[in-house]
Amino acid sequence: MGLIEDAKRVAAEFEYPPDEVNKGVKAFIRQMDEGLQENGKSLHQIPTYVTAVPNGTEKGVYLAVDLGGTNFRVCSIKLNGDTTFSLTQSKVAIPRELMVAKTSQELFSFLAKQIESFLKIHHNDHFEEHHERRKAGEAMTDEHFFQLGFTFSFPVHQIGLNRGHLIRWTKGFDIKDTIGKDVCALLQSEIVALHLPVKVAALVNDTVGTLMARSYTSPGKTGTLLGAIFGTGTNGAYVEKLEKVTKLKKEKESGDYDASTGNMIINSEWGSFDNELSVLPNTEYDKALDKESNNVGVHLFEKRVSGMFLGEILRRVILGMVNNGKTQLFKDKSSGTNDIHSTTTIADDSPLYKQWGIDTSFLSAAHEDQSAGFRITRQALGRELGIDAASAEDAEAVKILVEAIGKRSARLSAVAIGAVIISTGNLTLTAGDAVDDKDQQVLEEEIVDIGVDGSLVEYYPGFEDYMREALREIEGIGAKGEKRIRIGIAKDGSGVGAALIALVAARKEGL
């Protein structure tokens, strides 16, 4: 068997046919319902206490802060009321010693001081007026305060719009004193200590922010149903009917929320879909990746979809072929069998031999390579992986593998999107809709709007096309339904989205 045939044989292991897509959708819907009924299920289905999405007419100035890793960002967002906004921001690195501080106060005091510095630079008039009122002993109401959305990208147990207890730190943070405490209250306490005109109005998940940002900026009058991240990680937040979120009634610490809308935005945490592997594809490469990960047996959907893992899957596939004595990948019997009259060599310290050695950007470059003799892929193999003098056949084989892994990721992504659309009943089809009329126009009120963010959906070649192909194969959507799905990029959920959630919180308080 030749090299290209070998590559196609391995690539076939990543095929995800229509019947498997539909099994996945049914299982996803079932796990969605289970997660709405009680905690501790594969899909966490976390109530966010946000009960409405914006429509683009909202106005005002709101603050947002984002603690998502080693940087802390402070933003001021002016909503213009016409689906547009203007944003001012500053960013500062978190000192390493504060990431492992002995007390919460050390970190949160630092964060409050960054907010103070931002206000002095960008909202000094408001800042000074507030201090003059305070000195004069004037009574102040919430109207005198900036409403702030706090994007906190660590596991929390959210029990209200601006209440959430830290479950555990990740991303290099380790402040034991913070575990179990309300992070919004910790930040508000330090803001109060500095006498700042700021109220922490909402605790924000960045995926929920993506949904809000898209709903504000999307064209047309249709509210956005789903905000989804397909990047380093993957997650989705969507608008659910409040009556289906039955576990809220069982929560002892359940916070207040506005029930008048009849809706609740749910943070699905769908990276953990089907951790029991009842329907997810499970190749030998998926098994090995999970076994050597630092969270074995969890986030199994994410490990097949997100950009953080696609490069590692490819690395294991390529290495498996290289170590297989029967395949000819990167093996030249002589320079005469290589189209550039040399022999392929793999450096001893090649990233091919190191876990996480291949970045997803390599897959993007190889996937879209249309150059003569796959020159771009061959250059990337040499530059990024230390594989010199790869032949055109080698590069073609790698491209076949890349396409299979990327396509499977996109088709799995369609399972999540399709399940949310069907479960929420936002795409009601009639018998006549089964016939695909290519010329029929889709009315605005028939649109199902979805906001997406992340490097895969924004930059990976053909990712949305592969998703849409799978959506057309889903029972209950089909070709006619897929045309009604509008997918648009929603940027800066942790900034603009957080500000919009602060706005929703202010409206709940009657501000």
Side-chain angles (χ1 to χ4, degrees):
M1 185 180 289
L3 175 56
I4 300 304
E5 287 72 24
D6 279 335
K8 288 180 179 178
R9 174 182 53 80
V10 175
E13 297 181 45
F14 291 90
E15 290 180 0
Y16 191 51
D19 62 320
E20 293 298 317
V21 169
N22 279 286
K23 284 181 185 176
V25 170
K26 290 181 175 67
F28 202 106
I29 292 172
R30 183 179 70 251
Q31 292 187 22
M32 285 175 69
D33 290 340
E34 290 171 353
L36 292 173
Q37 293 168 29
E38 56 184 302
N39 292 323
K41 298 298 183 179
S42 281
L43 283 184
H44 298 329
Q45 296 287 76
I46 301 167
T48 65
Y49 298 89
V50 181
T51 59
V53 295
N55 60 21
T57 64
E58 294 81 359
K59 293 182 179 181
V61 177
Y62 296 86
L63 297 184
V65 295
D66 179 10
L67 183 65
T70 56
N71 291 315
F72 181 64
R73 186 167 65 125
V74 185
C75 307
S76 169
I77 296 94
K78 180 184 178 185
L79 304 171
N80 298 321
D82 58 359
T83 77
T84 69
F85 61 87
S86 54
L87 181 147
T88 304
Q89 66 176 349
S90 68
K91 186 183 292 186
V92 63
I94 305 290
R96 174 62 192 164
E97 62 271 19
L98 292 182
M99 295 172 67
V100 292
K102 291 184 179 179
T103 67
S104 306
Q105 192 270 339
E106 294 173 67
L107 173 64
F108 284 89
S109 173
F110 172 82
L111 302 183
K113 287 173 183 174
Q114 305 313 307
I115 297 172
E116 180 182 46
S117 297
F118 182 86
L119 291 176
K120 286 181 177 178
I121 295 170
H122 300 290
H123 294 282
N124 191 56
D125 288 349
H126 191 119
F127 180 84
E128 294 296 341
E129 286 174 11
H130 177 79
H131 280 277
E132 289 301 322
R133 285 197 193 96
R134 194 176 67 82
K135 286 178 184 178
E138 293 182 22
M140 284 183 279
T141 66
D142 281 347
E143 293 179 352
H144 295 117
F145 288 74
F146 284 112
Q147 304 296 307
L148 179 143
F150 183 14
T151 299
F152 185 77
S153 299
F154 300 90
V156 294
H157 177 216
Q158 190 162 357
I159 55 174
L161 200 48
N162 65 345
R163 295 171 62 206
H165 297 151
L166 178 67
I167 297 171
R168 64 182 177 276
W169 286 108
T170 57
K171 307 174 188 178
F173 283 78
D174 187 15
I175 308 171
K176 293 179 176 57
D177 175 59
T178 318
I179 305 298
K181 291 184 178 178
D182 183 349
V183 294
C184 289
L186 289 171
L187 180 59
Q188 187 68 62
S189 177
E190 297 306 320
I191 287 172
V192 169
L194 294 175
H195 307 293
L196 304 181
V198 176
K199 178 185 177 183
V200 181
L203 180 63
V204 180
N205 171 278
D206 58 354
T207 310
V208 180
T210 296
L211 167 61
M212 301 295 280
R214 172 63 184 177
S215 196
Y216 183 79
T217 60
S218 65
K221 299 177 182 178
T222 306
T224 301
L225 170 66
L226 168 68
I229 306 288
F230 299 108
T232 305
T234 184
N235 190 19
Y238 71 101
V239 182
E240 182 59 274
K241 294 179 182 68
L242 186 57
E243 63 189 27
K244 290 180 67 175
V245 194
T246 56
K247 68 180 178 182
L248 267 177
K249 299 172 184 176
K250 306 172 188 176
E251 286 274 356
K252 293 180 180 179
E253 292 185 287
S254 178
D256 295 331
Y257 52 88
D258 178 10
S260 66
T261 66
N263 293 321
M264 173 69 77
I265 293 176
I266 298 293
N267 169 21
S268 71
E269 293 292 342
W270 70 34
S272 60
F273 163 60
D274 197 33
N275 281 339
E276 58 273 24
L277 291 173
S278 64
V279 293
L280 282 177
N282 198 28
T283 69
E284 62 180 288
Y285 312 104
D286 297 308
K287 294 174 186 176
L289 182 152
D290 179 50
K291 186 177 180 181
E292 295 181 29
S293 69
N294 59 9
N295 55 349
V296 179
V298 298
H299 288 179
L300 298 185
F301 183 71
E302 184 167 85
K303 287 173 181 173
R304 287 151 177 76
V305 169
S306 74
M308 180 177 179
F309 297 100
L310 297 189
E312 179 61 9
I313 294 173
L314 176 65
R315 186 189 73 83
R316 292 174 180 275
V317 171
I318 292 176
L319 193 58
M321 291 187 69
V322 168
N323 291 337
N324 185 337
K326 296 180 181 179
T327 64
Q328 297 303 307
L329 184 63
F330 306 132
K331 300 167 189 171
D332 297 311
K333 292 179 180 178
S334 74
S335 60
T337 61
N338 188 312
D339 61 310
I340 55 174
H341 307 295
S342 184
T343 54
T344 307
T345 59
I346 304 176
D348 291 340
D349 61 349
S350 168
L352 185 63
Y353 301 124
K354 300 170 185 174
Q355 190 179 23
W356 314 115
I358 298 181
D359 189 82
T360 303
S361 60
F362 175 85
L363 281 78
S364 294
H367 198 122
E368 67 178 349
D369 185 7
Q370 301 295 326
S371 60
F374 306 101
R375 173 181 51 82
I376 292 172
T377 300
R378 293 156 86 172
Q379 289 174 346
L381 286 167
R383 181 178 62 252
E384 298 177 29
L385 301 184
I387 302 174
D388 292 325
S391 69
E393 190 177 35
D394 288 330
E396 184 179 358
V398 169
K399 181 177 170 67
I400 289 169
L401 299 172
V402 164
E403 289 174 344
I405 293 167
K407 185 174 182 178
R408 187 186 73 164
S409 168
R411 289 177 67 81
L412 282 165
S413 301
V415 166
I417 292 174
V420 170
I421 291 172
I422 292 172
S423 174
T424 54
N426 275 262
L427 190 70
T428 305
L429 300 176
T430 64
D433 287 330
V435 181
D436 180 21
D437 183 353
K438 294 181 180 179
D439 298 322
Q440 185 168 339
Q441 295 295 312
V442 177
L443 301 175
E444 174 60 32
E445 56 267 26
E446 296 178 322
I447 291 289
V448 177
D449 193 78
I450 293 171
V452 294
D453 193 13
S455 54
L456 279 179
V457 73
E458 192 167 4
Y459 301 118
Y460 195 92
F463 196 85
E464 184 179 334
D465 292 337
Y466 286 138
M467 278 200 309
R468 287 188 173 278
E469 178 185 63
L471 286 170
R472 289 192 290 272
E473 296 165 358
I474 294 173
E475 297 165 9
I477 295 180
K480 193 71 172 287
E482 179 269 324
K483 285 184 177 180
R484 288 170 51 185
I485 300 170
R486 180 170 60 204
I487 299 175
I489 297 295
K491 300 302 293 180
D492 200 15
S494 63
V496 177
L500 286 160
I501 296 175
L503 177 149
V504 170
R507 286 187 169 178
K508 177 177 173 288
E509 298 297 325
L511 301 177

